[in-house]
Amino acid sequence: MRVDLHMHTDYSMDAQTPQCTADKVRACIAQGLDIIGLTDHMDYFRRREPAENRDVEACLRDAWAAKRQFADEIEVLVGIEIGQIHVDPAADALVRTHELDMVIGSLHAMPNDLDIYFHEYARLDCDAFLREYFDELLAMVQHGGFDVLAHIDYPLRVMRHGDYVPSFDQYMDRVEQVLRACIARGYALELNAAGIAGWQKKVGPPQNILYEYKRLGGERISIGSDSHALDTVGRGVEDCVKNAKEAGFSAVTVFRSREPAQVRL
C-alpha cells in the first residue's frame, strides 16, 4: 500500500491555487497512491482569529464528496490539520462537532502568534527558542484532541542561518518527554517529507528520533508528503517508508472515523 496522509488543497491559504479537492485526488490516483488523507489547515491563536482555511465547512463537504466520488479508485480519508489545538476552545469544538476520519495536530505558531517560519533566528537566542518550543509542544500533546502529531522537527526546517545548523541533539530529554506523551495517548508520530524541499534535503524527523520513539515503545506512525501543490503528492513517501523500516516499523497507522488501523508498509 502506498499512503500519503498529509496534504493540502487551495482551501489552505499557503497552498498553490487553483487546486480543487477533486483535482488533488486525481493527482494522487495518477501517482499510484492507495490511501490519502485530505488535511487542510485550520490554525488557532491566542490573540487573533483562526486562519489558514478559506472555508472549513466547504472544505470538509468537498472532502466527503471526493471520498464518495473516487471510492472505487482510491481510499480518501477526510481530515484536518489543526494548528495549536490547545490555545483556543473553538479548536476542540470544531473537532467535536464535525465528522472526520483523522485529525493532525501541529505546532506552527509560538505564543506570540508568529509562525515558526517567520522568526528572525539570527537575532534570537536559539537555545531559549527551542526550550520554549518544546514547552509548547508538550502542552499541546498533553492537551490532546488529535490523532497524529505532525512534523515534530518543524523548527529545524527554518532555523539555519550563517554557521548555525539547528539540531535537536542537545534536547533529546525534551524530545523524550513529547514521545512518551504521544505513546501514552495513542497518537501516531508523523514522518513528514517537506524537508526534502529545504536545506535538509531529506524527510523528517531525524532518524535518531524515530529510533528513540521505537525504543520507548512507540508503535504508531503516519506518513505524509505535506504536499501544497498538485505536483508534489506522494513526494518522499518512499523515503519515509525506508526510514520507518530501518527503525523497526512494519506498518503505518491510518485513522478511519478517528479509529486507528494498521496497514503494512
Side-chain angles (χ1 to χ4, degrees):
M1 286 285 190
R2 296 189 72 227
V3 306
D4 184 349
L5 304 173
H6 185 160
M7 64 182 67
H8 302 273
T9 73
D10 59 11
Y11 279 111
S12 295
M13 288 191 289
D14 61 347
Q16 179 191 70
T17 187
Q19 189 188 177
C20 73
T21 303
D23 283 347
K24 191 76 169 189
V25 177
R26 291 187 185 100
C28 293
I29 294 169
Q31 286 297 315
L33 295 169
D34 299 297
I35 306 173
I36 63 169
L38 298 175
T39 56
D40 279 298
H41 285 295
M42 191 66 183
D43 275 24
Y44 289 82
F45 305 99
R46 287 171 169 79
R47 290 179 293 276
R48 58 188 178 93
E49 292 299 309
E52 303 304 325
N53 192 304
R54 292 185 168 92
D55 185 340
V56 68
E57 301 297 336
C59 173
L60 294 177
R61 283 198 303 271
D62 281 1
W64 280 108
K67 184 184 182 80
R68 293 187 293 269
Q69 179 182 350
F70 297 101
D72 292 338
E73 300 174 81
I74 193 170
E75 182 177 4
V76 175
L77 303 177
V78 177
I80 193 165
E81 182 181 2
I82 301 283
Q84 299 80 239
I85 194 171
H86 63 305
V87 304
D88 187 338
D92 288 317
L94 176 70
V95 171
R96 187 174 60 250
T97 57
H98 290 75
E99 186 179 4
L100 295 159
D101 284 312
M102 60 180 294
V103 177
I104 294 177
S106 297
L107 181 62
H108 295 130
M110 296 296 279
N112 62 1
D113 283 347
L114 184 64
D115 193 291
I116 288 168
Y117 259 79
F118 303 125
H119 287 75
E120 295 185 61
Y121 294 104
R123 300 185 178 186
L124 290 181
D125 179 339
C126 290
D127 180 64
F129 180 89
L130 286 174
R131 289 198 302 270
E132 185 177 19
Y133 168 75
F134 282 110
D135 288 342
E136 281 299 301
L137 190 61
L138 185 61
M140 188 186 81
V141 170
Q142 291 175 335
H143 174 89
F146 54 91
D147 308 305
V148 177
L149 177 64
H151 44 59
I152 189 175
D153 57 334
Y154 190 65
L156 301 184
R157 298 183 193 172
V158 294
M159 291 184 72
R160 185 171 184 174
H161 61 275
D163 294 330
Y164 176 74
V165 179
S167 169
F168 285 169
D169 288 351
Q170 302 304 312
Y171 306 92
M172 287 304 293
D173 58 330
R174 305 305 310 279
V175 171
E176 181 178 333
Q177 284 182 301
V178 172
L179 297 180
R180 287 188 182 277
C182 283
I183 294 166
R185 289 161 176 78
Y187 309 146
L189 180 69
E190 184 186 66
L191 284 74
N192 184 294
I196 288 176
W199 71 269
Q200 297 160 298
K201 306 300 181 189
K202 59 185 177 181
V203 304
Q207 196 68 355
N208 63 322
I209 292 178
L210 204 54
Y211 277 103
E212 182 67 2
Y213 178 62
K214 183 67 173 176
R215 184 188 72 81
L216 293 170
E219 297 179 347
R220 294 177 181 173
I221 60 167
S222 187
I223 289 173
S225 65
D226 208 344
S227 167
H228 283 65
L230 291 174
D231 61 358
T232 55
V233 295
R235 174 188 60 183
V237 296
E238 287 82 6
D239 291 340
C240 291
V241 169
K242 178 177 178 290
N243 285 4
K245 287 183 175 180
E246 286 181 355
F249 295 93
S250 59
V252 61
T253 301
V254 301
F255 288 85
R256 302 179 177 105
S257 299
R258 308 291 307 278
E259 292 295 326
Q262 297 293 87
V263 174
R264 289 196 63 82
L265 292 169

